[in-house]
Structure formats: structure tokens, C-alpha cells
């Protein structure tokens, strides 16, 4: 059987489709992310919904590009003030102030791995109620 132009045409189409599927699979792998609530798992269940006293000065910041669980995050051991277009310091906590985290969540992506966050709520001086996240490092809580 001789190779015809029709056979070459179909071969190119099949190779093109397989190439697109391969590229799509690679992009899916790179862009894959998942978020889940882990509030009922240890060690989180032991300190959620209980007042936690801060050991160090901390700042809640609004980040324009923060895409995990909230645009607000708690920065521990940081008392710097930002008022930029992309980053704003919105509240400051002193050592001894109380924060109560009500949820724990995990974030997984293939290019970052798994990270853990504690979620809390507070009211700003403007009266706005915000939800903020704290990047949790196991065994390194900034609380007494």
C-alpha cells in the first residue's frame, strides 16, 4: 500500500490533536490547585475557636494579588506600615492582643506544594468586618 496524501493529511491531524492533548495535560498539571477545609483535623481542632494571645507585634495587611483565601493576611513580627496601591496595612496587634481563629484550610498546587492557613475575622476601625488568613507553619504558632 502506498502512502497517499490523504494518509499524510490524517497523520498530521492525529499528531496535532495528540500534541494539543499533551500540552493541555501539562498545563493542567502546572495550573492544578485545590483548597479544602481541614478544621476538624489535628492539630488544628485543638486551637480553633479558642482565644489565642499573640506573643509578638503583628499587622493585618490587604494584598491586591493575594489569591488563596482572603485579600487580608496576618504578618507576624512585623510592625511596618504600608499604604501603597497594591499593599495596605489595615490593623496592628500588640503582644498580648487576642485573636480567635475559626477555620483551618489547606491549599495545594503542583508548583507550590501544600500549605496551611488559619482563618480569623476582625473588625477594622472603619466598622468593616474582614476575614484574614495566617500562613501556618506546623509547630511555630506565634501565640502563648
Amino acid at each position: 500500500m502506498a502512502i497517499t496524501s490523504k494518509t499524510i493529511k490524517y497523520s498530521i491531524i492525529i499528531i496535532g490533536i495528540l500534541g494539543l492533548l499533551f500540552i493541555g495535560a501539562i498545563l493542567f498539571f502546572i495550573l492544578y490547585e485545590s483548597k479544602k477545609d481541614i478544621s476538624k483535623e489535628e492539630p488544628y481542632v485543638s486551637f480553633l475557636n479558642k482565644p489565642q494571645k499573640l506573643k509578638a507585634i503583628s499587622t493585618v495587611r490587604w494584598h491586591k494579588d493575594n489569591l488563596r483565601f482572603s485579600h487580608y493576611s496576618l504578618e507576624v513580627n512585623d510592625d511596618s506600615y504600608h499604604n501603597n496601591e497594591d499593599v495596605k496595612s489595615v490593623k496592628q496587634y500588640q503582644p498580648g492582643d487576642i485573636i480567635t481563629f475559626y477555620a483551618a484550610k489547606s491549599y495545594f498546587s503542583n508548583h507550590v506544594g501544600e500549605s496551611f492557613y488559619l482563618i480569623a475575622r476582625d473588625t477594622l476601625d472603619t466598622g468593616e468586618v474582614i476575614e484574614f488568613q495566617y500562613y501556618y507553619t506546623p509547630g511555630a504558632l506565634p501565640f502563648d
Side-chain angles (χ1 to χ4, degrees):
M1 181 169 126
I3 296 178
T4 64
S5 63
K6 210 177 214 184
T7 306
I8 293 172
K9 180 179 166 184
Y10 288 130
S11 297
I12 291 172
I13 290 172
I14 289 172
I15 290 172
I17 290 172
L18 290 175
L20 286 174
L21 288 173
F22 181 72
I23 290 170
I26 289 174
L27 287 174
F28 176 78
F29 180 79
I30 291 171
L31 299 176
Y32 175 78
E33 68 179 27
S34 70
K35 299 175 183 179
K36 67 180 181 176
D37 190 335
I38 54 173
S39 299
K40 294 184 170 96
E41 297 177 16
E42 282 297 334
Y44 313 104
V45 72
S46 63
F47 54 81
L48 292 179
N49 299 310
K50 296 176 185 166
Q52 305 291 331
K53 191 186 316 183
L54 280 169
K55 290 190 239 179
I57 195 164
S58 303
T59 303
V60 174
R61 287 209 184 104
W62 172 84
H63 299 264
K64 178 178 124 183
D65 297 327
N66 199 357
L67 301 175
R68 298 289 192 267
F69 300 103
S70 171
H71 283 284
Y72 296 93
S73 62
L74 179 67
E75 308 291 332
V76 177
N77 292 322
D78 191 334
D79 65 347
S80 58
Y81 181 76
H82 295 278
N83 192 15
N84 306 324
E85 182 180 333
D86 295 342
V87 179
K88 296 181 186 327
S89 299
V90 295
K91 186 164 187 168
Q92 194 170 67
Y93 293 100
Q94 300 299 320
D97 286 349
I98 302 294
I99 295 177
T100 303
F101 294 100
Y102 72 90
K105 298 185 179 190
S106 73
Y107 173 82
F108 176 81
S109 70
N110 287 318
H111 66 282
V112 173
E114 190 167 26
S115 50
F116 305 96
Y117 293 87
L118 301 176
I119 311 296
R121 284 189 193 101
D122 206 345
T123 305
L124 302 179
D125 294 337
T126 61
E128 178 185 3
V129 176
I130 62 165
E131 219 174 55
F132 61 89
Q133 63 191 20
Y134 167 68
Y135 176 76
Y136 172 75
T137 304
L141 284 174
F143 313 111
D144 287 330

